[in-house]
Amino acid sequence: MHYPIFDFGMFGPSTLIAVVAIIHVTIAQFAVGAGIATPWLESRALRRNDQVMLAFLGRYARFLILLSFVAGAVTGVGIWFVVGLISPETISLLLRQFVWGWATEWVFFLVEIISGYVYYFYWGKLDPKTHVKVGWIYAASAWGSLLIINGILTFMLTPGEWIATGSFWDGWMNPTAWPSLVLRTISSLSLAGLFIAVVANMQKGMSTDERRHVINEGSIFLVPLALMIPVSLWYFAVAPSTASRLVVGGAVAMSLFFAFGILASTLIGVYAYWGLLKNKRSVHLETALLLTGIALIATGSMEYVREGIRKPYTVYHYMYANGLTIDEIKSINQNGFFASPPLVAYDRDHRQMTAVERGRIIYDVQCLRCHAIDGYNAIRPLVENWTTEMIRDNTRQLHRLRGFMPPFAGTAADLEDLVAFLSTLRTDKWNEIHRTLEEEEK
Amino acid sequence: MIGGHDPMAMPAPPEIMISLLGLTFVLHITVLGLLFASLWARAGAEWGKAGVYDSLRVHRAGVVGFSMTITLGVPPLLFVQILYGKYFYTSSISIGFPWLAVVGYLLVGFYALYWTQWSWMRNKGPSVSGKLFWLIAVGSVLAIGYTYSWNHLKSLSPTPWNHGVSHLSVVHRLLGYFGGALISSGAWVSWFGKYWRSDRAVPKGSAWASLFGGLCLLIWAVTSEHATSGAFQFGRELLLIGGALAIVAGGMGIALHRTELSRWLLTAAAPLGILGLLVQREAYRLETMRAYYDPFTVPTRTQWSTLIMFGLSLVIGLAVLIWLLAQIRRTRQVAKSQA
């Protein structure tokens, strides 16, 4: 209500958020996983005097820095940018409530970046023992960063006692925080393992046996993927039942994405154990890229599910996806939508507007953040073949009809305004059909 | 026009927030100087006669500087959102896609800068692709600066977000920040010169950057908005002193070859200039916005336990960074003694 609304046009805001978030999550989790994998493999290689692995790890560290130190950081800030445009209320809430969490996370990130540069630039220059220590500092700070962000992200689905107390700790140590942390750590390690296979295959000057050796050693990090199913069960056991229901049939797309994500992850884990660890097989570049591609899609699927099951809220039981809080909706229902005019209508008198004009404003505030008029997740295909009565009835009971939709906020008059606007979205073809049907009925 | 206070209380007294905003902003602009140094050193290598040795050293530092600039740019962005969230979000939304494009500029800029170095190494000297990537990197950095300034100016009052801000005023504002970063770049390179090249401790580029940066800063200080009292005036005085010192340092480096004195003058000019920019910016923002928004009147609910957590993490983080620097120093000493 208190911000202008940004219209993303036909692409729809959710597409942009999804793209930026998936890229960021993948890179950031790779940075965490690779941070743990590299010093672990380095100390193991030093113990065994494994020069092949040591030479490989130097190149792998370079890949890590080039990919994660800028792309990871920028896409992380990119999420702020995108969410700030789409849902400033949500980002404002998350920043104000967790500002010292974000600031602490930044300290972890700063240590991560500097220790990562020292680790890479002083490879072969620092004494091996100190170098491994620097690697572990990088790992600890990267994982610490994940620990904090994970608590804030899971807060959005399960704010727990925070609703009553408003306390940072109640919000951050929420019910889904721990299973989610385990899931993300598993995912991070697996991405590190997969990228070891990719980087090893892209290195020039390595023999087939050397590649096989490096890939087999790195595959240990893929094995925890086999735990995805039990940890996911733990996650859904503590998630709100209404959210869990969406995954087990409440929303077909969500069920399919979840099934794909969980099965793909588990299968990669099983393959890593039998193929790479036990039977010491190798993978070619094409196979490594294929496995990484599947893992990326699985990561994207799981992120989609994480975002999806939270609907219709951005912060469960507190703020809806359109930025309106439960209390605000109560107030609007009582006093009317224009009793406290939204910013988008600040210089206009709503009484002077037509019903369609008022309806458009209501639409912009309550619907546009998820539904473009045309394009991705558009409103027109949903309403173009509805009669006026259907639009009215469905909108009035939206949250009952579709559990993942927020309730309509407004009085009966406001509803009529929105119905008037939505009715204009019907195409000529459907208007013609409706006229014919009405005439036939007469 | 813009709705009431944010429903969430301010998580700490505004004095703490503004101090942290200021501190992290100074660090951000200081490291931005490293990126600037890399850009002009590379221009010297691609188009001029600067030695490969110089430019590659500075360039490598610039690549690190770019990612550090991004990392150190995060906290000021965080604290701005806490302090001025409603205005910041509103102006961001009013800019829309160009604001989002900053994410793209950052990515393109960094990888173009990295590619410039790679191109130099592959071609063992200047090349068309090197020049092209340099231009892309410079364009990206300028675009980022422009967009940030644009958003900042729009966020200063409830009207510009609706009616627009003149592009000339954005460019004008950029002049000051360009000057500050340029002086900082000169200071960085002068210390690199001492560290790596004992024969000629202040490279010529450093002195020219200082001179040009000082001029930019002075022009900005004289021609910027004319509030003449309190902290705003103090900020302007800092800018004038910083700009004048930078010009003197530049002149000494170019004409008199007083390298040691020039380096120290530059080292004083850079923080003074950046501090001046900071004081002026915050004083002007508070003064301009006071009629309709004052962060000092917003309800505050200090989150002490997490503030202490942040403080502790900062102390531990700094201790770790000091330990890392000590390891680097020890390694260098060992290598030197072995040599």
Side-chain angles (χ1 to χ4, degrees):
Chain A
M1 293 286 281
H2 302 301
Y3 295 95
I5 307 292
F6 183 54
D7 188 352
F8 275 82
M10 63 180 293
F11 298 108
S14 47
T15 318
L16 190 65
I17 277 225
V19 170
V20 179
I22 288 170
I23 293 173
H24 174 69
V25 166
T26 305
I27 296 172
Q29 291 191 170
F30 162 65
V32 174
I36 297 169
T38 315
W40 189 82
L41 287 171
E42 188 191 1
S43 53
R44 187 176 151 94
L46 284 169
R47 278 200 306 275
R48 298 175 171 197
N49 194 23
D50 183 348
Q51 294 302 321
V52 173
M53 179 53 90
L54 287 173
F56 167 77
L57 287 174
R59 297 170 199 142
Y60 187 64
R62 183 182 177 194
F63 177 77
L64 167 67
I65 280 175
L66 272 181
L67 183 67
S68 67
F69 280 22
V70 170
V74 169
T75 49
V77 176
I79 294 178
W80 273 7
F81 275 50
V82 178
V83 179
L85 293 186
I86 298 168
S87 187
E89 297 90 348
T90 308
I91 198 75
S92 176
L93 165 70
L94 292 181
L95 292 185
R96 285 210 170 197
Q97 179 60 46
F98 296 106
V99 61
W100 304 120
W102 292 104
T104 307
E105 192 269 340
W106 172 76
V107 174
F108 279 119
F109 187 61
L110 185 68
V111 174
E112 178 186 339
I113 295 277
I114 294 176
S115 58
Y117 275 128
V118 173
Y119 188 73
Y120 171 65
F121 283 121
Y122 286 84
W123 191 282
K125 293 175 188 164
L126 287 172
D127 72 86
K129 220 172 167 184
T130 308
H131 192 256
V132 171
K133 272 187 201 165
V134 173
W136 282 118
I137 287 174
Y138 173 85
S141 49
W143 191 80
S145 177
L146 171 69
L147 172 74
I148 292 183
I149 293 287
N150 174 72
I152 298 173
L153 284 179
T154 50
F155 156 82
M156 295 165 78
L157 176 66
T158 46
E161 295 298 311
W162 174 87
I163 298 278
T165 64
S167 150
F168 175 101
W169 299 107
D170 285 336
W172 186 70
M173 291 197 285
N174 62 78
T176 52
W178 304 115
S180 170
L181 184 64
V182 178
L183 280 173
R184 286 187 185 279
T185 305
I186 292 172
S187 178
S188 301
L189 292 173
S190 69
L191 285 169
L194 285 167
F195 276 109
I196 284 175
V198 172
V199 176
N201 273 295
M202 288 169 79
Q203 284 304 314
K204 288 173 187 163
M206 279 178 89
S207 70
T208 311
D209 282 345
E210 286 171 345
R211 281 203 179 102
R212 186 201 306 272
H213 168 65
V214 167
I215 292 167
N216 289 160
E217 290 280 296
S219 62
I220 187 86
F221 297 104
L222 293 168
V223 176
L225 278 174
L227 294 172
M228 284 297 256
I229 291 178
V231 183
S232 295
L233 289 176
W234 175 22
Y235 180 85
F236 284 110
V238 291
S241 57
T242 41
S244 303
R245 272 203 294 272
L246 290 176
V247 175
V248 290
V252 178
M254 217 83 80
S255 309
L256 288 173
F257 273 109
F258 178 70
F260 176 80
I262 208 82
L263 281 176
S265 305
T266 307
L267 287 175
I268 292 174
V270 171
Y271 168 75
Y273 177 73
W274 287 107
L276 302 178
L277 264 182
K278 200 156 186 223
N279 294 319
K280 303 285 179 200
R281 296 192 200 286
S282 187
V283 286
H284 294 293
L285 178 62
E286 294 79 0
T287 315
L289 286 173
L290 179 71
L291 287 173
T292 309
I294 293 171
L296 295 188
I297 297 171
T299 305
S301 302
M302 297 301 265
E303 288 301 308
Y304 176 85
V305 171
R306 181 183 64 77
E307 283 284 316
I309 60 174
R310 211 176 51 225
K311 284 182 180 176
Y313 300 97
T314 52
V315 176
Y316 225 80
H317 291 146
Y318 180 78
M319 184 181 281
Y320 284 103
N322 52 22
L324 296 175
T325 62
I326 289 177
D327 287 344
E328 274 178 316
I329 290 186
K330 279 181 194 161
S331 164
I332 293 169
N333 286 343
Q334 206 167 8
N335 307 316
F337 183 82
F338 288 96
S340 168
L343 189 65
V344 284
Y346 83 95
D347 57 350
R348 301 166 72 188
D349 182 354
H350 70 276
R351 288 159 299 194
Q352 304 294 322
M353 297 180 208
T354 64
V356 172
E357 286 171 332
R358 284 194 300 270
R360 171 73 206 221
I361 290 171
I362 294 172
Y363 173 83
D364 282 351
V365 172
Q366 297 198 33
C367 319
L368 188 63
R369 293 185 193 194
C370 298
H371 298 285
I373 300 284
D374 293 298
Y376 179 74
N377 202 21
I379 195 79
R380 195 192 299 276
L382 296 175
V383 299
E384 69 179 356
N385 61 344
W386 287 359
T387 62
T388 304
E389 289 71 29
M390 287 168 77
I391 293 175
R392 184 179 298 112
D393 289 345
N394 288 346
T395 308
R396 188 169 44 213
Q397 306 183 63
L398 209 50
H399 56 299
R400 293 196 179 88
L401 206 60
R402 304 267 180 202
F404 48 81
M405 292 293 290
F408 170 75
T411 59
D414 296 326
L415 179 64
E416 287 310 313
D417 291 339
L418 182 59
V419 170
F421 170 70
L422 292 177
S423 300
T424 65
L425 300 179
R426 283 195 301 240
T427 55
D428 290 343
K429 181 183 128 195
W430 282 104
N431 280 333
E432 182 63 30
I433 291 171
H434 287 308
R435 254 199 307 276
T436 314
L437 286 173
E438 280 167 15
E439 280 166 12
E440 280 175 3
E441 277 174 16
K442 281 177 190 168
Chain B
M1 284 174 275
I2 290 185
H5 292 318
D6 198 291
M8 298 293 297
M10 189 86 79
E15 291 86 352
I16 292 181
M17 289 293 169
I18 290 177
S19 305
L20 285 170
L21 170 63
L23 178 70
T24 51
F25 175 78
V26 168
L27 291 174
H28 173 60
I29 298 290
T30 304
V31 182
L32 178 65
L34 195 54
L35 169 61
F36 267 48
S38 170
L39 289 173
W40 57 253
R42 174 53 60 188
E46 290 286 344
W47 278 279
K49 293 176 185 169
V52 179
Y53 179 78
D54 277 356
S55 61
L56 274 183
R57 288 274 190 170
V58 177
H59 187 89
R60 185 178 286 176
V63 172
V64 175
F66 204 139
S67 66
M68 288 304 294
T69 305
I70 296 171
T71 306
L72 291 169
V74 171
L77 194 63
L78 172 66
F79 298 125
V80 158
Q81 289 178 79
I82 301 294
L83 280 162
Y84 308 104
K86 288 220 157 187
Y87 299 88
F88 175 79
Y89 296 128
T90 304
S91 59
S92 307
I93 293 169
S94 73
I95 291 176
F97 285 115
W99 177 242
L100 272 185
V102 169
V103 178
Y105 300 146
L106 285 166
L107 285 173
V108 170
F110 175 81
Y111 289 110
L113 187 66
Y114 185 80
W115 209 281
T116 314
Q117 183 190 1
W118 186 79
S119 175
W120 179 281
M121 289 166 83
R122 196 182 60 165
N123 297 304
K124 297 188 171 49
S127 63
V128 175
S129 63
K131 289 181 174 72
L132 183 69
F133 282 114
W134 182 88
L135 286 170
I136 293 172
V138 169
S140 304
V141 171
L142 291 177
I144 294 162
Y146 183 88
T147 315
Y148 265 97
S149 266
W150 187 15
N151 197 356
H152 172 81
L153 289 176
K154 270 182 168 264
S155 72
L156 289 181
S157 87
T159 45
W161 66 265
N162 198 27
H163 300 297
V165 162
S166 94
H167 293 288
L168 203 63
S169 65
V170 180
V171 174
H172 182 214
R173 182 177 181 273
L174 268 184
L175 189 71
Y177 289 86
F178 184 72
L182 213 51
I183 297 171
S184 168
S185 76
W188 278 106
V189 175
S190 75
W191 283 102
F192 284 172
K194 181 179 169 65
Y195 194 65
W196 286 322
R197 297 183 55 191
S198 52
D199 56 325
R200 191 154 62 87
V202 177
K204 214 191 277 178
S206 163
W208 280 108
S210 164
L211 191 68
F212 193 57
L215 279 173
C216 290
L217 212 57
L218 282 186
I219 294 170
W220 163 251
V222 173
T223 58
S224 58
E225 294 288 325
H226 39 63
T228 51
S229 60
F232 189 85
Q233 180 61 21
F234 175 59
R236 176 179 286 186
E237 281 158 8
L238 285 173
L239 284 176
L240 290 171
I241 297 169
L245 277 180
I247 290 171
V248 173
M252 281 196 164
I254 294 164
L256 304 176
H257 304 290
R258 297 283 303 275
T259 51
E260 194 64 25
L261 186 59
S262 171
R263 187 185 310 114
W264 283 109
L265 281 176
L266 249 178
T267 308
L272 280 176
I274 296 171
L275 200 62
L277 288 168
L278 168 76
V279 172
Q280 183 200 38
R281 183 185 74 164
E282 289 313 310
Y284 185 66
R285 173 155 44 196
L286 288 170
E287 198 170 296
T288 314
M289 296 178 89
R290 187 162 293 138
Y292 44 90
Y293 173 72
D294 183 355
F296 291 92
T297 61
V298 172
T300 299
R301 183 186 171 194
T302 306
Q303 302 173 2
W304 286 112
S305 62
T306 49
L307 180 56
I308 291 166
M309 171 185 80
F310 165 62
L312 279 176
S313 74
L314 194 60
V315 170
I316 294 168
L318 287 174
V320 170
L321 295 183
I322 290 167
W323 181 82
L324 285 170
L325 291 175
Q327 299 310 310
I328 292 172
R329 198 188 151 116
R330 195 166 62 91
T331 305
R332 281 174 182 274
Q333 280 170 346
V334 169
K336 218 178 209 176
S337 63
Q338 282 172 354

